[in-house]
Amino acid sequence: MKKAIYPSRGIIYDRQGRVVVFNQPAYDIMMIPRDVQPFDTLDFCNTLDSPPNSSPAV
């Protein structure tokens, strides 16, 4: 499994010093169904630094 680590872009403030833009992690996970083999889902969540069942239901 590969994990890309992207740098923070910084916080942008307006003229009054209020935060306009901030960094928030986001993930894109892509899997090819025919290539997926059984794996440890807890280890997968730890790799993503995301607790199990933290994703919204789809």
Side-chain angles (χ1 to χ4, degrees):
M1 177 174 13
K2 295 180 183 178
K3 182 178 179 183
I5 301 174
Y6 299 100
S8 296
R9 297 293 178 203
I11 300 172
I12 300 173
Y13 300 93
D14 67 8
R15 292 180 185 180
Q16 285 75 39
R18 295 178 295 209
V19 175
V20 177
V21 177
F22 61 94
N23 294 311
Q24 183 172 346
Y27 300 98
D28 290 324
I29 301 172
M30 295 178 274
M31 295 184 181
I32 301 170
R34 70 172 181 258
D35 293 341
V36 175
Q37 298 175 3
F39 61 94
D40 183 345
T41 54
L42 186 56
D43 184 44
F44 181 67
C45 290
N46 289 335
T47 300
L48 296 177
D49 217 9
S50 175
N53 299 323
S54 64
S55 299
V58 284

